[in-house]
Amino acid sequence: MTQTTDDTIGDDALSGLIGYNMKRLMSLVSADLARVLAAFDLRMLPFSALSVIVRQPGISQTELAGVLSIERSNLVQIIDDLAGRDFITRAPVAGDRRRNALMPTKAGSKMADVAQKAVFDHEARLFGVLSDTERDALLAMLIKVRQAVDQ
Amino acid sequence: MTQTTDDTIGDDALSGLIGYNMKRLMSLVSADLARVLAAFDLRMLPFSALSVIVRQPGISQTELAGVLSIERSNLVQIIDDLAGRDFITRAPVAGDRRRNALMPTKAGSKMADVAQKAVFDHEARLFGVLSDTERDALLAMLIKVRQAVDQ
DNA sequence: TATTGTTATACTCTATAACTATA
DNA sequence: TATAGTTATAGAGTATAACAATA
């Protein structure tokens, strides 16, 4: 054992930082969520994109990229994947042939339903150590800070 | 404007998920923190590593990787960078020539101090929309969930 | 045999620039 | 000129396997 100045080896210098702790937790949450979604052969972004398309049929790729805060260019492969698996279609938009209206298929809607249930169940387990009140407070704070930072 | 089923275009299907909202906020926090650290030509991991080394002089690379929850192999380039800039040294460990005892230099300690101040100031601004009580509660919840999930 | 530091490699996520077709 | 979708590319983070030196 290497002797250090303190008796314990830890991240004391960083543990007071919300950002640091959020990153550490997010890493665990992502890994766990990825495992849940892997059962449906989905990753986080395709899952998110499909969920939004089911809720907002007809949305364009630029709009969807805006909703998810990702680059249009990075959405293309995700849309390709979802379309290739017949979860969505790229329908033409009357009056603007540049746009695609993203539409869920029946299989896509079903997949979104099932995957969303699994994700919500998984969240309930993952954050189960928190009370309902705490979870509500956590969610509210995350959204509040995001809105404040994001203008 | 493309007309969708709802009047607003948003991420309703996902906004109830803590994980999703945490990822969205984390993305903003990371980008902002990266900007702060860029003033010192540091990124998040080198900053974190240096902070721990200053607090725990003599720590080995394997131990440091464990503290930060990253792979040993991915730490090597970070240590190379910090050593190349004379912020740390790799001292020999008496009795085990496999190990490096990571030691901060004076310049490294100074850099850690200055950068940590900037990061804490930045956090205060970033999470300024929350009260002190809320920030404490948020930090406590992040740590509580991490400990629960991480065994 | 096991561990430490290291190298090589590959995959994901993310960001930017530039192209095409359409407007 | 500007916008939508696309392609190519590069950087950063992360994960795994294998090696040399040492225990």
Side-chain angles (χ1 to χ4, degrees):
Chain A
M1 264 294 224
T2 300
Q3 192 54 40
T4 57
T5 48
D6 299 323
D7 2 9
T8 56
I9 294 177
D11 55 358
D12 291 7
L14 306 165
S15 54
L17 291 166
I18 294 176
Y20 174 75
N21 283 283
M22 200 154 69
K23 180 173 183 287
R24 292 293 300 266
L25 177 54
M26 197 57 226
S27 162
L28 293 180
V29 172
S30 293
D32 226 73
L33 202 54
R35 248 173 275 134
V36 171
L37 288 173
F40 309 102
D41 201 9
L42 283 173
R43 270 168 307 162
M44 224 160 313
L45 250 22
F47 164 74
S48 300
L50 180 58
S51 295
V52 173
I53 292 167
V54 167
R55 188 67 76 92
Q56 310 269 347
I59 195 171
S60 74
Q61 292 184 202
T62 295
E63 289 166 339
L64 179 55
V67 167
L68 297 176
S69 284
I70 64 175
E71 295 298 321
R72 272 179 310 157
S73 58
N74 292 327
L75 186 57
V76 174
Q77 53 191 341
I78 293 167
I79 295 301
D80 278 348
D81 173 56
L82 292 174
R85 294 163 70 187
D86 289 316
F87 290 153
I88 63 169
T89 61
R90 282 178 261 219
V93 170
D96 191 341
R97 285 188 296 173
R98 291 173 307 179
R99 271 169 206 263
N100 296 330
L102 303 174
M103 305 294 297
T105 64
K106 268 189 190 165
S109 294
K110 215 166 287 182
M111 173 59 85
D113 268 7
V114 175
Q116 276 172 27
K117 267 196 195 74
V119 170
F120 272 90
D121 285 357
H122 174 258
E123 276 235 337
R125 264 191 300 117
L126 201 65
F127 295 97
V129 71
L130 301 181
S131 69
D132 284 1
T133 308
E134 285 177 316
R135 253 179 290 180
D136 289 349
L138 175 54
L139 192 58
M141 283 193 278
L142 293 174
I143 292 171
K144 189 175 175 183
V145 175
R146 170 146 68 103
Q147 283 172 345
V149 173
D150 216 11
Q151 265 63 285
Chain B
M1 267 292 225
T2 300
Q3 192 54 40
T4 58
T5 47
D6 299 322
D7 359 10
T8 55
I9 294 176
D11 55 358
D12 291 9
L14 306 165
S15 54
L17 291 166
I18 295 177
Y20 175 75
N21 283 284
M22 199 153 70
K23 179 173 185 287
R24 293 293 301 265
L25 177 55
M26 197 57 225
S27 162
L28 293 179
V29 172
S30 292
D32 226 72
L33 203 53
R35 249 172 274 133
V36 170
L37 289 173
F40 308 102
D41 201 11
L42 283 173
R43 272 167 306 161
M44 225 158 313
L45 251 22
F47 164 75
S48 300
L50 179 59
S51 295
V52 173
I53 292 166
V54 167
R55 188 67 76 92
Q56 311 270 347
I59 194 170
S60 73
Q61 291 184 203
T62 295
E63 288 166 339
L64 180 55
V67 167
L68 297 176
S69 283
I70 64 176
E71 295 298 321
R72 272 179 311 157
S73 58
N74 292 327
L75 186 58
V76 175
Q77 54 191 340
I78 293 166
I79 296 301
D80 277 348
D81 172 56
L82 292 174
R85 293 163 71 187
D86 288 317
F87 289 153
I88 63 169
T89 61
R90 283 178 261 220
V93 169
D96 191 341
R97 284 188 298 170
R98 291 172 307 179
R99 271 169 206 264
N100 297 330
L102 303 174
M103 304 294 297
T105 63
K106 268 190 187 164
S109 294
K110 216 167 283 181
M111 172 58 85
D113 268 6
V114 175
Q116 277 172 26
K117 269 197 195 74
V119 170
F120 272 90
D121 285 358
H122 174 258
E123 276 235 337
R125 263 190 300 116
L126 201 65
F127 295 97
V129 73
L130 302 181
S131 68
D132 284 359
T133 308
E134 284 177 317
R135 253 179 290 179
D136 289 348
L138 175 55
L139 191 58
M141 283 193 279
L142 293 175
I143 292 171
K144 188 175 174 182
V145 175
R146 170 147 67 104
Q147 283 172 344
V149 173
D150 216 10
Q151 265 62 288

